[in-house]
């Protein structure tokens, strides 16, 4: 494997960070005027099995002590999201909810106190439920107007103190998961048409918000962040190589191509048109897409896939992937025999991380920001009162090391944010699937004292931040 001899890697001022999202940590799901989001309603449906968003890690009431812990860890950045329904409880309210706005003022005050750079996501899976009930959410163009209004309020209020904004978290994943957008249509063809119309509206909304941010907050940088799920060819058979390329295009690059080049790439148009899913464009949509340019690309990285050619006439196209996407005539997924997986089956691939960084940077020549990277497991509180998560240390260490190599090879990385700063409600598997550097002492249904206990990985990452690399750790 090609190694870069330069050792140093990370530049001065590199933002070593950690990440969370509002509905997964805050709790206080109906407090101080907050409305219900689709993330709340989806989680409340499974309250009997999993922890829901009602309390979560109760960051809403613990943010001060949590930020003290962030300072102890030495974090340079904290990537978090604003809960849309704290600001506009119904999504289409005339006036924003002052109590909701005040909460994030206080969070920003605390971060400022310790010199931690906020990286703020505007929309992380939590669209107001009311907008879905009123007009179908992203299926309707009015949603663009309501999202832009919400973003404007955030820029007005926090624009003078936030330098990094993220528009939409993982649009490419969200659009494939019915529950994240509350898609209720049952007819398969209509459902796909709705899905792609929603995607189109999100692209427009993202573009409008980028332009707005550039106008209102000239000193700030803004970009989207997506779920980067790259594929290797299962073999060197040309059809498999093409399958991996198709998968990369239809999972990842269609999204970044639209963001960066401002138009639907031909391969994506063909795919949508062949299936009768091409969305309706209104007059001016092309100009909206073409008129916005992100300052950087954010991405979340956890795993890679291996793709092989999938025959057109395959009977049951197995959904082995997170995005529930297999395209007969193009690709499907197989297990990669060279990689180990987490207990949740997520294939661990630090070298793939390096490759992803290189590919993204070479394709777009834009700075990148890693907004999530981490490992979800059933951590156990040991008898000595600690959490010995060596597996997470290994995961982080190997990914940081591969990121360093990519940086040495010229990739401009703005920030690396571990998912997650603390244990939180997983978007798919409740509280038992833990990602945090800080353990939250609660179970799915027993809140206990919600004590905060730094894990061994916390102390490992503390050293990484202090010395600016994982070398020798
Ligand atoms: C990303 C999301 C996060 C987070 C993470 C881990 O897709 O942006 O919100 O949940 O993945 O996923 P999960 O919680 O499903 O294990």
């Amino acid at each position: 494997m090609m190694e870069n001899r330069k050792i140093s890697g990370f530049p001065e001022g590199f933002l070593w960070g950690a990440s969370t999202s509002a509905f997964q940590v805050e709790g206080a799901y109906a407090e101080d005027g907050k409305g219900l989001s689709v993330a709340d309603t989806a989680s409340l449906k499974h309250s009997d099995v999993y922890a829901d968003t009602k309390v979560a890690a109760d960051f809403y009431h613990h943010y001060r002590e949590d930020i003290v812990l962030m300072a102890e860890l030495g974090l340079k950045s904290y990537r978090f999201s604003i809960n849309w329904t704290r600001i506009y409880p119904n999504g289409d309210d005339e006036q924003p909810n002052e109590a909701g706005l005040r909460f994030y003022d206080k969070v920003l005050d605390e971060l400022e106190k310790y010199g931690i750079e906020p990286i703020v996501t505007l929309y992380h899976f939590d669209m107001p439920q009311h907008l879905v009930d009123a007009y179908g959410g992203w299926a309707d163009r009015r949603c663009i107007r309501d999202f832009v209004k919400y973003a404007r309020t955030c820029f007005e209020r926090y624009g003078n103190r936030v330098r990094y904004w993220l528009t939409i978290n993982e649009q490419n994943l969200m659009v494939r998961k019915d529950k994240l957008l509350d898609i209720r249509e049952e007819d398969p063809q209509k459902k796909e048409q709705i899905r792609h119309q929603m995607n189109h509206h999100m692209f427009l909304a993202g573009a409008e918000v980028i332009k707005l941010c550039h106008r209102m907050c000239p000193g700030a940088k803004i970009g989207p962040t997506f779920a980067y799920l790259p594929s290797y060819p299962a073999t060197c058979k040309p059809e498999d190589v093409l399958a991996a390329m198709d998968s990369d295009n239809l999972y990842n690059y269609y999204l970044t191509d639209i963001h960066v080049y401002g138009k639907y790439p031909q391969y994506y148009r063909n795919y949508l048109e062949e299936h009768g899913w091409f969305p309706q464009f209104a007059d001016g949509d092309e100009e909206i897409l073409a008129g916005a340019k992100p300052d950087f690309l954010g991405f979340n990285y956890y795993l890679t896939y291996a793709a092989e050619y999938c025959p057109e006439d395959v009977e049951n196209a197995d959904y082995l992937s997170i995005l529930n996407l297999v395209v007969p005539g193009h690709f499907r997924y197989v297990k990669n025999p060279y990689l180990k997986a987490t207990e949740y089956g997520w294939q661990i691939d630090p070298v793939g991380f390096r490759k992803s960084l290189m590919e993204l940077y070479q394709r777009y020549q834009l700075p990148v920001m890693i907004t999530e990277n981490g490992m979800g497991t059933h951590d156990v509180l040991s008898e000595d009162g600690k959490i010995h998560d060596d597996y997470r240390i290994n995961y982080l260490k190997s990914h940081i090391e591969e990121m360093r190599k990519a940086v040495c090879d010229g990739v401009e990385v703005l920030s690396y944010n571990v998912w997650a700063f603390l244990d939180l409600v997983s978007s798919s598997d409740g509280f038992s699937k833990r990602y945090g550097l800080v353990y939250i002492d609660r179970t799915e249904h027993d809140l206990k004292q919600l004590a905060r206990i730094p894990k061994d990985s916390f102390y490992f990452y503390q050293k990484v931040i202090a010395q600016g690399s994982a070398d020798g750790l």
Side-chain angles (χ1 to χ4, degrees):
M1 190 189 308
M2 195 172 75
E3 296 296 341
N4 193 303
R5 305 267 160 249
K6 235 170 91 190
I7 305 169
S8 57
F10 300 103
E12 272 292 303
F14 184 77
L15 294 174
W16 294 101
S19 186
T20 62
S21 89
F23 78 95
Q24 293 175 281
V25 289
E26 285 178 359
Y29 85 121
E31 228 170 289
D32 292 335
K34 180 185 166 300
L36 269 190
S37 71
V38 295
D40 294 320
T41 44
S43 101
L44 292 173
K45 282 185 196 148
H46 304 287
S47 295
D48 51 333
V49 187
Y50 291 134
D52 55 33
T53 56
K54 283 186 180 161
V55 178
D58 205 24
F59 180 77
Y60 196 78
H61 299 111
H62 289 75
Y63 68 93
R64 280 205 176 84
E65 61 174 289
D66 288 341
I67 294 173
V68 169
L69 272 178
M70 289 180 201
E72 189 187 324
L73 174 57
L75 282 192
K76 307 290 182 216
S77 61
Y78 172 44
R79 180 240 177 180
F80 64 98
S81 71
I82 294 178
N83 203 322
W84 187 348
T85 54
R86 286 200 194 284
I87 311 303
Y88 286 99
N90 294 301
D92 57 1
D93 317 70
E94 275 291 312
Q95 295 299 325
N97 171 33
E98 179 55 31
L101 285 166
R102 237 186 345 256
F103 172 65
Y104 298 104
D105 281 336
K106 291 187 288 184
V107 170
L108 289 169
D109 287 345
E110 292 304 303
L111 292 173
E112 216 163 272
K113 209 193 269 179
Y114 299 103
I116 301 170
E117 185 82 53
I119 298 173
V120 180
T121 316
L122 287 165
Y123 169 34
H124 193 127
F125 301 169
D126 51 7
M127 102 159 338
Q129 182 64 50
H130 170 75
L131 297 186
V132 178
D133 300 338
Y135 55 59
W138 286 111
D140 192 291
R141 284 187 83 88
R142 281 172 285 183
C143 206
I144 304 172
R145 173 202 67 194
D146 290 332
F147 182 62
V148 173
K149 178 173 170 181
Y150 155 65
R152 180 189 303 279
T153 302
C154 294
F155 296 150
E156 265 161 15
R157 183 77 167 220
Y158 314 118
N160 60 347
R161 53 204 312 214
V162 174
R163 291 198 299 164
Y164 293 99
W165 292 95
L166 297 158
T167 50
I168 300 180
N169 178 70
E170 295 191 345
Q171 180 181 326
N172 61 328
L173 177 130
M174 203 159 38
V175 79
R176 300 231 42 96
K177 297 266 194 184
D178 298 356
K179 75 165 188 183
L180 296 177
L181 294 173
D182 199 359
I183 304 178
R184 299 174 195 169
E185 176 60 56
E186 285 184 6
D187 177 81
Q189 178 63 0
K190 280 196 199 133
K191 184 193 264 204
E192 290 309 303
Q193 284 164 344
I194 291 172
R195 196 187 300 293
H196 294 288
Q197 193 64 48
M198 287 177 149
N199 217 12
H200 181 58
H201 291 154
M202 282 194 272
F203 279 120
L204 294 169
E208 293 280 28
V209 164
I210 286 176
K211 277 191 287 185
L212 187 67
C213 181
H214 286 154
R215 270 206 310 278
M216 292 179 67
C217 321
K221 292 191 188 314
I222 186 161
T225 190
F226 71 107
Y228 200 172
L229 294 158
S231 288
Y232 296 107
T235 71
C236 53
K237 195 163 119 198
E239 284 77 5
D240 288 346
V241 175
L242 211 58
M245 196 177 99
D246 281 350
S247 153
D248 279 347
N249 282 343
L250 297 180
Y251 255 37
N252 307 306
Y253 294 138
Y254 85 89
L255 177 121
T256 40
D257 283 352
I258 294 175
H259 277 298
V260 179
Y261 302 131
K263 60 177 188 190
Y264 283 49
Q266 193 59 44
Y267 62 83
Y268 189 54
R269 290 189 83 98
N270 294 350
Y271 165 70
L272 295 176
E273 275 164 5
E274 270 163 27
H275 292 86
W277 299 335
F278 197 77
Q280 283 173 1
F281 270 55
D283 284 350
D285 282 4
E286 274 98 353
E287 288 71 24
I288 294 174
L289 293 179
K293 181 110 181 144
D295 300 303
F296 62 87
L297 291 172
F299 74 89
N300 300 340
Y301 179 90
Y302 291 92
L303 51 85
T304 54
Y305 293 120
E308 67 175 12
Y309 173 71
C310 177
E312 193 78 63
D313 56 357
V314 69
E315 286 212 341
N316 288 318
D318 267 347
Y319 284 165
L320 257 187
S321 73
I322 299 177
L323 294 195
N324 296 340
L325 178 70
V326 162
V327 184
H330 294 267
F331 62 87
R332 68 179 168 200
Y333 297 99
V334 293
K335 210 166 168 299
N336 186 333
Y338 301 100
L339 298 177
K340 294 208 176 83
T342 69
E343 63 195 273
Y344 288 88
W346 292 23
Q347 297 181 145
I348 303 171
D349 186 6
V351 173
F353 186 37
R354 177 183 179 184
K355 179 174 169 282
S356 302
L357 283 159
M358 295 294 287
E359 275 180 0
L360 202 64
Y361 191 67
Q362 286 169 354
R363 189 169 178 125
Y364 302 112
Q365 297 289 310
L366 273 181
V368 295
M369 178 186 285
I370 294 104
T371 45
E372 293 178 25
N373 175 235
M375 185 180 189
T377 52
H378 281 94
D379 296 332
V380 180
L381 185 58
S382 304
E383 276 177 13
D384 61 5
K386 297 184 174 156
I387 297 89
H388 301 299
D389 54 345
D390 308 1
Y391 38 86
R392 181 168 294 104
I393 293 177
N394 291 337
Y395 182 101
L396 295 176
K397 188 174 149 75
S398 55
H399 284 76
I400 291 169
E401 183 48 21
E402 293 301 322
M403 169 171 66
R404 186 189 66 77
K405 293 175 190 164
V407 170
C408 288
D409 281 336
V411 180
E412 211 180 324
V413 183
L414 296 172
S415 174
Y416 169 80
N417 296 277
V418 174
W419 184 267
F421 175 66
L422 35 72
D423 288 343
L424 37 71
V425 180
S426 146
S427 67
S428 47
D429 296 285
F431 220 90
S432 315
K433 186 182 192 183
R434 294 173 181 272
Y435 281 92
L437 298 167
V438 176
Y439 186 85
I440 303 292
D441 192 17
R442 64 160 288 182
T443 65
E444 295 293 353
H445 294 110
D446 181 358
L447 293 176
K448 303 195 198 170
Q449 303 296 315
L450 289 163
R452 277 63 183 145
I453 307 171
K455 302 180 190 175
D456 287 358
S457 56
F458 176 99
Y459 296 107
F460 159 79
Y461 195 46
Q462 191 178 46
K463 288 188 204 137
V464 171
I465 299 175
Q467 70 174 38
S469 77
D471 290 352
L473 295 176

